[in-house]
Amino acid sequence: MGQRIWMAVFALIFCAATGLNAFTALNEVGNNNSVQAVSAPPYSAVADGLVVADGAMSSTSTTLFSASGLFTPSAVGKTITVQYAGGTAGSNQPLTTTVAAYISHTQITLASPSRQAVTAAGVLWGADNYAAFNSWVAALPGHAGTIPCPSSGGIYLINLQGETRTLNLGSNESITMDKACSIAIVGVHIGTDGGLFNIPAGTHNLKFDSPHIIGEWQNTANINAIRGGFGDGEAFVSENAGGSSGITILNPLFENLIGMGVKEFNSNDSNVIIKNFDCSNVASTCLNVNTQTTVIETGVCKGASTGIGACVEASGGNSTYENIKSYYSLGQYALQFGGITSGSPYIGTQVINNNVYNFLGSQGCFSIGDGFSNGIIAHNGCFNPGGPNAAGFVNVRSGSIATGNNLFDSNVVTGGGSAFYVSGSNGDIFNNNSAIGSAFGLNLQGATGITGTGNYWNAVPTGTCAGCKDISVASGSSASLKDRAVNCSIGIAGTLARDSL
């Protein structure tokens, strides 16, 4: 009896000394309760996908040519997608079908004809792994799972069949993928909502580490007519019905997607974390996340994206968007925060240490939109926005949700139209910002109660830009500034109290 008591006391002391308790120990056991890897029996997914970028087909023909010479007799019966070949009248809809016959290493016959002639088209083919992955994810809730890489560069092809298929994730599961391989989405239908991994409403404590997902936009030379915005084969999509929390996506790599990397969630969801993301040549917005208490941190978007917020489009109170870089974005904005997407104010959010380079879109590098209030926008940069009308920071109330009382601190804009364009906002504070070589430094249009100090407004000199101003205060606007206007070019139709300008 005494020996058993001492053994129990020793066990309690050991747990205390190591910082463990019974609850933690049980959780760790549960987290280690893994489902067999997706490439192992009974699932047996295969990463046999192949890609070439020189596909050619005549209109209404079933013959596909590729000078790369990678076709083999084993391709017969496998799923294949040909970039643009499923479109009509200039549309870039892919053609997804199966291989009907092998002719030679450079020529095969497809089960369905091309709808338009294509050259230099991306082609992707391999075994369809949907059934294997679907059985695997069905066993995952409450467990851990792995997507290994049998051979570096391997591709697991999954046919979504026009968004009629998806893979439903669940609560309390953890997935880790070896990014040396990738999952390829094919069978995307432009204009139809859907995606690869679906996160159902009410999902909790879901973690996905290092997903590497590629799409059918395999040859990125031409983005024209690719529809950006909604649907079209997301990597991750939520049901947008609310009640989800604790969703974590780490180290994702998204390449050549026609749709988004992550789409939806809404204001009734919370605690979404996306870190260390990499988006390359994603045709739509990379991340579209509209939740409270969200963290989007440390990521890069490279290449053309045509979404509203081409790199990140996000809204949610008490959230943090930090250390994001965007290059050569084609969207309305590179980074859009706030807006009317989830119908509620977004109070107390921080936009910090983000940089936009060579913005090519129509509106501006940063959008601070409807409902964004009492937030901090600090230490961000917009460098060389393309076009005379592209702005650095656009702070606009365009709908019914109030915007204002935000702090803009130590941001930098070089070039473009208005460095800081503020419309319909009230009570914003501008401190220590720099605008160099823009058409307008600070451009106030229907903005009231604007204050600031220590800013450096250096617009293009008036002699080289008709109508350009360091500071422009339109009718109905009001500001009180203690700043430095280098060219002393100030336009006042509203009210401006100034010192040291």
Side-chain angles (χ1 to χ4, degrees):
M1 177 73 173
Q3 184 179 13
R4 287 197 297 271
I5 292 173
W6 277 110
M7 290 175 65
V9 171
F10 175 78
L12 290 173
I13 293 172
F14 177 78
C15 286
T18 57
L20 297 175
N21 54 41
F23 178 77
T24 303
L26 285 173
N27 275 349
E28 289 188 350
V29 169
N31 287 338
N32 289 325
N33 186 10
S34 299
V35 170
Q36 185 73 292
V38 71
S39 63
Y43 310 111
S44 301
V46 293
D48 68 346
L50 293 170
V51 177
V52 296
D54 58 359
M57 298 185 75
S58 300
S59 179
T60 70
S61 172
T62 58
T63 301
L64 171 65
F65 299 89
S66 169
S68 298
L70 298 183
F71 298 138
T72 65
S74 65
V76 175
K78 292 185 177 180
T79 297
I80 189 167
T81 184
V82 183
Q83 184 189 28
Y84 309 153
T88 57
S91 161
N92 282 343
Q93 177 72 47
L95 170 68
T96 303
T97 182
T98 57
V99 179
Y102 169 79
I103 301 173
S104 70
H105 289 310
T106 60
Q107 188 174 346
I108 55 177
T109 301
L110 307 186
S112 300
S114 172
R115 293 188 177 181
Q116 62 183 5
V118 295
T119 58
V123 181
L124 171 61
W125 72 98
D128 181 7
N129 287 284
Y130 174 77
F133 269 81
N134 195 42
S135 297
W136 179 71
V137 297
L140 276 177
H143 301 83
T146 58
I147 305 173
C149 186
S151 179
S152 182
I155 300 173
Y156 295 98
L157 183 148
I158 295 178
N159 185 359
L160 298 185
Q161 293 188 352
E163 275 74 63
T164 62
R165 290 170 160 183
T166 192
L167 300 170
N168 289 305
L169 302 178
S171 296
N172 302 310
E173 66 186 46
S174 177
I175 301 171
T176 301
M177 181 172 178
D178 185 340
K179 284 164 65 171
C181 281
S182 60
I183 301 172
I185 304 172
V186 304
V188 169
H189 184 271
I190 295 176
T192 302
D193 198 8
L196 177 62
F197 290 110
N198 181 56
I199 301 174
T203 298
H204 301 284
N205 302 322
L206 167 66
K207 178 182 176 182
F208 204 130
D209 193 347
S210 301
H212 180 186
I213 301 173
I214 65 175
E216 290 175 280
W217 186 33
Q218 294 302 324
N219 182 344
T220 60
N222 180 10
I223 195 172
N224 294 333
I226 289 182
R227 179 183 177 275
F230 305 97
D232 309 340
E234 274 68 46
F236 293 88
V237 59
S238 84
E239 292 185 348
N240 197 24
S244 294
S245 65
I247 310 300
T248 301
I249 302 174
L250 302 177
N251 309 304
L253 173 55
F254 303 124
E255 297 181 287
N256 301 333
L257 296 177
I258 297 177
M260 300 178 185
V262 180
K263 178 175 183 280
E264 289 298 1
F265 298 104
N266 65 27
S267 59
N268 295 317
D269 301 314
S270 62
N271 299 317
V272 173
I273 298 173
I274 303 174
K275 292 186 176 183
N276 301 317
F277 65 92
D278 188 335
C279 292
S280 297
N281 296 306
V282 172
S284 188
T285 298
C286 177
L287 304 179
N288 171 253
V289 182
N290 304 306
T291 59
Q292 307 296 315
T293 55
T294 290
V295 175
I296 299 178
E297 180 181 300
T298 311
V300 60
C301 296
K302 297 170 289 188
S305 297
T306 62
I308 294 173
C311 182
V312 175
E313 180 184 359
S315 59
N318 299 306
S319 297
T320 300
Y321 312 118
E322 185 172 6
N323 294 325
I324 302 167
K325 295 180 180 179
S326 174
Y327 297 86
Y328 297 101
S329 168
L330 279 172
Q332 291 184 29
Y333 303 96
L335 300 170
Q336 177 170 347
F337 305 112
I340 60 174
T341 48
S342 55
S344 62
Y346 322 117
I347 299 172
T349 285
Q350 300 182 74
V351 178
I352 301 175
N353 293 324
N354 306 290
N355 289 301
V356 177
Y357 302 92
N358 299 105
F359 174 67
L360 302 176
S362 59
Q363 300 296 316
C365 292
F366 292 82
S367 171
I368 308 299
D370 284 39
F372 197 111
S373 59
N374 299 97
I376 298 174
I377 302 97
H379 300 282
N380 304 286
C382 171
F383 304 100
N384 302 316
N389 297 318
F393 292 79
V394 177
N395 184 17
V396 173
R397 174 184 175 179
S398 58
S400 60
I401 308 173
T403 298
N405 301 311
N406 296 302
L407 171 63
F408 289 79
D409 186 16
S410 302
N411 303 289
V412 177
V413 180
T414 62
S418 297
F420 296 86
Y421 180 93
V422 185
S423 175
S425 189
N426 176 69
D428 292 321
I429 302 170
F430 286 81
N431 291 340
N432 308 310
N433 301 284
S434 296
I436 304 170
S438 305
F440 293 88
L442 179 63
N443 190 351
L444 304 182
Q445 300 285 331
T448 58
I450 306 301
T451 62
T453 185
N455 301 290
Y456 180 80
W457 310 118
N458 185 6
V460 175
T462 302
T464 60
C465 175
C468 292
K469 297 287 187 295
D470 287 341
I471 299 170
S472 178
V473 183
S475 177
S477 297
S478 63
S480 177
L481 304 171
K482 295 182 178 182
D483 290 338
R484 182 182 179 194
V486 175
N487 296 305
C488 295
S489 56
I490 303 171
I492 304 174
T495 303
L496 175 63
R498 60 192 189 273
D499 183 17
S500 301
L501 284 171

